[in-house]
Amino acid sequence: MIQRFFILCSGADASILETCSQGERNKYAGIGATVFFTAVMAFLAAGYALYTVFDNVYTALGFGLVWGLLIFNLDRFIVSTIKKRNSFRSEFLQATPRLLLAVIIAVVISKPLEMKIFEKEIDQVLLEQKNELTLANKEQIALQYSPLVADLEQDIVQLKEEVASKEAETNALYDTYISEAEGRAGTMLLGKGPVYKEKREKHDAALLELRELKSDNAERIAAIEGQISKLNTEYETAVVNSQPIIDGFDGLMARINALGELAWFPSFFIFLLFLAIETAPIVVKLLAPKGPYDFKLEEEESTVEAWVTQKVSQRQHIMATDAVLNEKIYGEIQEEERVYAHKKQKAEELLRLQADAFHELQVKGL
């Protein structure tokens, strides 16, 4: 039963193989087994590839099954349409388009399985790419907020410098009126005279202005720091909101590109393995000698071809004979019509002559 199933997979005519030897049936069962297991690998490869796209097991299995059946049908068609000829060159030319198609199928099948085999290495490459994308994303988002934050921080620096300048001025006035009181500067008189009072009043006025300036600038600095904090919060929110996009950077195309970042040598030999599996049925049919099945199939096809050719030739002869007969019959009918028209014309002329003679007799009798 298994042999019959694999013969069915090979696309060979089971009724002809039943009349062949066991070895011939085993050969085509082996070809059919290769076609079947190639379709199974295509199903697994497509299922995994589509799972990375849809992230749903049932959807991946459904589309994978359709793809596996498609590959099975293509391989079965390729193998079944290769006919053994008397010349290897003609057989190879006949199989060339099918070999190219087999190469394409091998590439399609091997890539998803390569991604599964090298999954850990691909994950490492994707992790590095995600880290690079995360840093680049933060830098790009920071470009939107950094100039604003820098301007606000510069405003804070100016406000603090303004307070520091006013504080230095107030301290200088303090040193001035203290020096005046101690007799170290100004009037050089020890004690608190009118000049001392004047300088003290200037200091007290400057100190009051300093306190007001500190209070006003502190409020302004607090407001600016609130704006900076708000911008920093917006920046962090933008980074957090964009991070899931980067975390989801592991789709089919990303994994194929990551696979391309790995060493080509192992991947290339896996491709060669699948290429050998995919082209095995075709190569076997090309290299295998012409067997009993091929002779019987050729005999059956040549019988049908001869019968069809004979039928076509008979129909052509019948049509040619009918054309000759029709031409002859219609030619005779046309000749008879001309004779009839001539006799009718002579009869009409004779009747007119008789009528004219009878008319003359009547006239004479009158």
Side-chain angles (χ1 to χ4, degrees), residues 187-227:
T187 60
M188 305 299 290
L189 298 174
L190 183 63
K192 300 178 180 180
V195 177
Y196 165 80
K197 291 181 180 180
E198 181 182 354
K199 292 182 178 180
R200 177 65 184 270
E201 288 174 357
K202 287 183 179 180
H203 169 265
D204 292 343
L207 182 61
L208 181 61
E209 291 176 358
L210 175 62
R211 290 173 180 171
E212 293 177 353
L213 181 63
K214 281 185 176 181
S215 177
D216 293 342
N217 285 8
E219 293 179 358
R220 294 171 64 184
I221 288 173
I224 293 173
E225 288 177 345
Q227 295 180 19

Side-chain angles (χ1 to χ4, degrees), residues 241-363:
N241 291 338
S242 59
Q243 190 61 36
I245 300 175
I246 298 175
D247 293 338
F249 183 69
D250 58 353
L252 181 61
M253 183 58 68
R255 288 187 169 273
I256 292 175
N257 292 333
L259 179 63
E261 297 292 330
L262 301 177
W264 66 272
F265 194 74
S267 178
F268 178 69
F269 271 89
I270 291 175
F271 162 71
L272 290 181
L273 173 63
F274 282 99
L275 180 61
I277 294 173
E278 181 62 32
T279 57
I282 303 174
V283 173
V284 167
K285 289 207 71 172
L286 287 176
L287 298 180
K290 202 170 184 178
Y293 172 81
D294 301 303
F295 287 110
K296 291 183 179 182
L297 180 62
E298 185 178 357
E299 180 185 2
E300 185 173 317
E301 290 179 348
S302 61
T303 301
V304 174
E305 182 180 1
W307 181 80
V308 172
T309 304
Q310 182 180 3
K311 289 294 183 182
V312 171
S313 178
Q314 289 177 356
R315 282 196 295 269
Q316 290 176 347
H317 283 89
I318 291 172
M319 291 175 63
T321 304
D322 287 343
V324 172
L325 290 175
N326 289 334
E327 184 178 356
K328 184 175 181 181
I329 291 171
Y330 286 112
E332 293 177 355
I333 292 174
Q334 186 177 8
E335 184 65 26
E336 289 178 358
E337 288 179 350
R338 284 199 297 267
V339 172
Y340 172 77
H342 178 70
K343 290 181 177 181
K344 181 180 178 182
Q345 181 182 2
K346 293 300 182 179
E348 289 176 350
E349 290 177 357
L350 180 60
L351 289 174
R352 281 198 299 270
L353 291 174
Q354 291 177 353
D356 291 341
F358 180 73
H359 181 68
E360 291 177 358
L361 291 174
Q362 284 182 343
V363 172

Side-chain angles (χ1 to χ4, degrees), residues 57-71:
V57 176
Y58 299 105
T59 303
L61 289 177
F63 282 103
L65 180 61
V66 173
W67 178 252
L69 292 175
L70 177 62
I71 296 300

Side-chain angles (χ1 to χ4, degrees), residues 43-77:
F43 162 69
L44 296 175
Y48 172 73
L50 292 171
Y51 179 74
T52 62
V53 175
F54 297 106
D55 198 19
N56 185 284
V57 176
Y58 299 105
T59 303
L61 289 177
F63 282 103
L65 180 61
V66 173
W67 178 252
L69 292 175
L70 177 62
I71 296 300
F72 172 77
N73 184 61
L74 281 174
D75 283 343
R76 187 172 182 270
F77 169 75

Side-chain angles (χ1 to χ4, degrees), residues 142 145-162 217 220-233 235:
Y145 296 95
S146 296
L148 300 176
V149 173
D151 292 341
L152 293 174
E153 289 177 346
Q154 184 63 32
D155 292 341
I156 292 176
V157 171
Q158 291 178 358
L159 291 173
K160 288 182 177 181
E161 289 178 351
E162 186 179 355
N217 285 8
R220 294 171 64 184
I221 288 173
I224 293 173
E225 288 177 345
Q227 295 180 19
I228 293 175
S229 178
K230 182 180 179 181
L231 289 173
N232 289 332
T233 302
Y235 166 75

